Amino acid sequence: MAFTRLKNRSIKGRAAGTIAVLTLGASLIAAPSASADTDPGPARLLQACNNHETDVCEFHPQSYTSYIGPIHTVGDLLYNCGRNVNTTTVNWTDTTGSTNSVGVSLGASMEIEKIFKIEIETTYTHTWLTSHTTGQTTTINVSPGDVGWIKRGTAKQQATGWWEIHFGKRFYGHYIWYINNYKESGPTGKTGFVAPDDRVMTSAERSSHCR
Amino acid sequence: MTAHRTARCRAWVVPAAVTAVLLLSGCGHGQQQQGTYASGGDPGQGPITLGADHSPESRVVAALYEKLLTDAGEQVTLARSSYASPADTAKAVVTGRLTLAPAYETTLLRALGSTSSIPGDIGGTLSMVLPVGITALPPAAAQHGPVIAVSRATARHHDLRSLADLADTHRRFTLGGPAAGASQAPSAGTLSAAYGVPLTPVGTSGPADLQVLRGTDPAIARDGLVVLTDPKGVIPPDHVFPLIGSDYAGKATRTALARLDTTLTTGQLALLASAVTNGQSPDQAATAWLRAKGMLA
């Protein structure tokens, strides 16, 4: 069965480097009594997994989709103040990171990200990236009086599922916690949609860029 | 970890192929919400309720689970009666009537109405169809599904070890046997297409060159049959694994049940099932086997 279990026993045996600590806002790094029957929230639970406070930390994937992310501009804007079409090549790079529904920053070296990555890659045979940088050279023809740019819709992927977390002693009042409706999105490593575009400059742009 | 009687609140929507039921167990923590949220649970309310279907395989695997869990200090009770089929047993776990039962990979997928699968990753496929709060623990090596076997003489004459060897014989074979009608049994057409060998189906009775049997059929050992490997994965995997309510799937339980992962092979399960068929109780057969394997004092 392709489930990855994070056990304290096995972690001690690993010849791994420093494990990155889950990055949280200062307001979330509280230290309440572990026996208090309150909701620690998904972020604190993921932190517990990452810090090996758990007996079992398992991610159960439930769905996978690939999609094109929001269209955005890459590279510089090009203002054509002349009377002829301006053909230019634009060298651009674009970095896409990953996000999750818990709202915490995750790095590839974090144990919980490793658990998630292994499950997704095993289950869906897609490489899971926490960050990816793409660079290209794109030719654009900008009409006279226009501003041109390169637009891109990044190829992205999203996986959903739930976390099952068991503790050896009560954690916020319970031995077992679940994180429901977890979603994580990230780049696929593919370029996605890239295309040039242009429009007529505004008078403000013309005043600012054409002298 | 001993069981605690802390009530918890979980709402499940069971897949429609089982029964469209919204279950709401006891009350406590973690109201269902939109978005990502945490919900708490506690080690099940009372002992692990362990069940099985009528088959010797299921009853003896349940007995193995019971022995290993009890030996690990877990409290276990056996369901009063067995279920009619592996599908019914699996549904009982999903709906909460049982907390633990032996299940079989592809059999469970079909019971839950799943028509899709992730090639090469039955575990991931199961994860996609099981509801939140139900865990499929790692499987044992033993498989419950059909296999293709030939007589020792046939294997020797045609140098057969794998279904892929059939095409090299350049001859037509007959395909049939007691499990030829099983839902997971590959058809003659499917095998022919995959392995490039002409096959004539002859049904479930009468002799056949290629025999379709359950992997645990005692005829395999009794008649010295040679099971042909399936390198192209035509026959879907059907390993036996513990299907369990997540609240009961703590570290001690997982560790105890994982002891079967490599030790319980298809051949060993066949021997255990045969012992039960021949009159031994599942409890006796399980105890004797575990002691012989050094897994029980």
Side-chain angles (χ1 to χ4, degrees):
Chain A
M1 199 72 61
F3 294 125
T4 303
R5 287 179 278 171
L6 181 63
K7 293 184 177 179
N8 293 335
R9 192 183 308 161
S10 64
I11 293 299
K12 290 175 185 173
R14 292 186 189 177
T18 301
I19 297 172
V21 175
L22 186 65
T23 302
L24 299 172
S27 62
L28 292 175
I29 307 177
S33 165
S35 64
D37 192 8
T38 57
D39 186 347
R44 179 65 185 94
L45 291 170
L46 290 180
Q47 183 184 47
C49 284
N50 204 59
N51 294 344
H52 311 304
E53 299 172 55
T54 60
D55 275 1
V56 175
C57 186
E58 192 167 283
F59 179 73
H60 300 275
Q62 291 183 296
S63 73
Y64 173 91
T65 54
S66 56
Y67 63 102
I68 296 295
I71 304 294
H72 57 283
T73 301
V74 294
D76 296 326
L77 296 176
L78 303 169
Y79 298 90
N80 187 355
C81 302
R83 297 182 179 183
N84 301 310
V85 172
N86 191 349
T87 299
T88 309
T89 55
V90 178
N91 297 314
W92 59 268
T93 60
D94 189 29
T95 298
T96 305
S98 62
T99 58
N100 59 70
S101 57
V102 178
V104 298
S105 298
L106 298 174
S109 62
M110 290 181 172
E111 287 304 316
I112 50 176
E113 193 59 21
K114 289 177 184 177
I115 297 171
F116 180 84
K117 177 181 168 71
I118 289 171
E119 280 303 331
I120 298 302
E121 291 187 347
T122 303
T123 302
Y124 301 114
T125 62
H126 289 282
T127 302
W128 191 266
L129 304 171
T130 51
S131 179
H132 186 263
T133 299
T134 299
Q136 269 191 9
T137 299
T138 306
T139 301
I140 180 171
N141 299 314
V142 183
S143 300
D146 279 10
V147 55
W149 65 91
I150 308 299
K151 60 184 179 182
R152 182 192 184 203
T154 310
K156 299 188 73 174
Q157 52 190 344
Q158 180 182 80
T160 68
W162 55 285
W163 289 86
E164 176 185 349
I165 304 166
H166 295 254
F167 293 86
K169 54 185 179 181
R170 287 188 183 276
F171 187 79
Y172 288 79
H174 294 277
Y175 285 98
I176 303 164
W177 283 93
Y178 302 94
I179 298 175
N180 304 271
N181 301 335
Y182 180 85
K183 295 181 185 177
E184 187 166 325
S185 301
T188 65
K190 297 180 181 176
T191 303
F193 166 84
V194 177
D197 203 353
D198 67 344
R199 59 166 171 78
V200 176
M201 274 190 275
T202 64
S203 54
E205 287 171 327
R206 186 176 289 278
S207 299
S208 176
H209 295 280
C210 301
R211 292 175 183 166
Chain B
M1 183 189 301
T2 56
H4 293 261
R5 293 190 177 275
T6 305
R8 61 177 178 84
C9 203
R10 290 194 65 74
W12 296 343
V13 176
V14 178
V18 177
T19 302
V21 174
L22 183 68
L23 297 178
L24 198 66
S25 57
C27 208
H29 193 98
Q31 300 297 322
Q32 192 169 26
Q33 305 168 18
Q34 298 297 322
T36 303
Y37 65 97
S39 58
D42 279 296
Q45 300 183 22
I48 294 170
T49 303
L50 174 57
D53 65 61
H54 295 327
S55 71
E57 289 91 343
S58 183
R59 289 160 58 209
V60 76
V61 173
L64 290 171
Y65 291 172
E66 192 265 335
K67 293 295 172 196
L68 290 171
L69 289 170
T70 303
D71 190 56
E74 299 295 316
Q75 298 178 32
V76 181
T77 60
L78 300 177
R80 290 180 183 174
S81 56
S82 55
Y83 290 80
S85 69
D88 291 329
T89 311
K91 291 172 190 177
V93 176
V94 171
T95 56
R97 283 175 284 143
L98 293 175
T99 52
L100 169 65
Y104 309 98
E105 294 164 328
T106 298
T107 301
L108 175 60
L109 287 175
R110 296 186 180 196
L112 296 180
S114 172
T115 57
S116 62
S117 68
I118 302 168
D121 185 23
I122 194 75
T125 306
L126 282 170
S127 178
M128 291 171 65
V129 301
L130 287 172
V132 175
I134 302 294
T135 298
L137 293 179
Q143 292 219 47
H144 173 259
V147 296
I148 310 294
V150 296
S151 68
R152 203 175 290 277
T154 300
R156 199 178 303 122
H157 181 70
H158 295 289
D159 195 22
L160 300 176
R161 283 174 293 277
S162 162
L163 290 169
D165 297 330
L166 294 171
D168 295 335
T169 65
H170 302 289
R171 58 153 289 183
R172 175 176 288 273
F173 291 92
T174 55
L175 176 74
S183 58
Q184 290 146 253
S187 67
T190 301
L191 283 171
S192 292
Y195 290 106
V197 55
L199 296 172
T200 301
V202 296
T204 57
S205 58
D209 301 317
L210 305 181
Q211 298 183 47
V212 186
L213 311 98
R214 285 275 173 215
T216 53
D217 193 317
I220 295 174
R222 183 190 67 217
D223 300 341
L225 300 177
V226 175
V227 174
L228 302 180
T229 62
D230 176 25
K232 296 192 177 184
V234 174
I235 303 172
D238 212 22
H239 297 91
V240 61
F241 68 93
L243 184 68
I244 188 169
S246 304
D247 280 359
Y248 292 84
K251 183 178 176 181
T253 295
R254 289 167 182 256
T255 302
L257 296 176
R259 299 176 68 192
L260 289 175
D261 288 359
T262 55
T263 313
L264 185 62
T265 61
T266 304
Q268 291 297 306
L269 180 56
L271 289 173
L272 284 161
S274 181
V276 173
T277 302
N278 290 332
Q280 239 187 349
S281 73
D283 187 273
Q284 289 172 327
T287 301
W289 187 83
L290 288 170
R291 285 178 177 162
K293 296 295 181 184
M295 297 167 71
L296 203 65

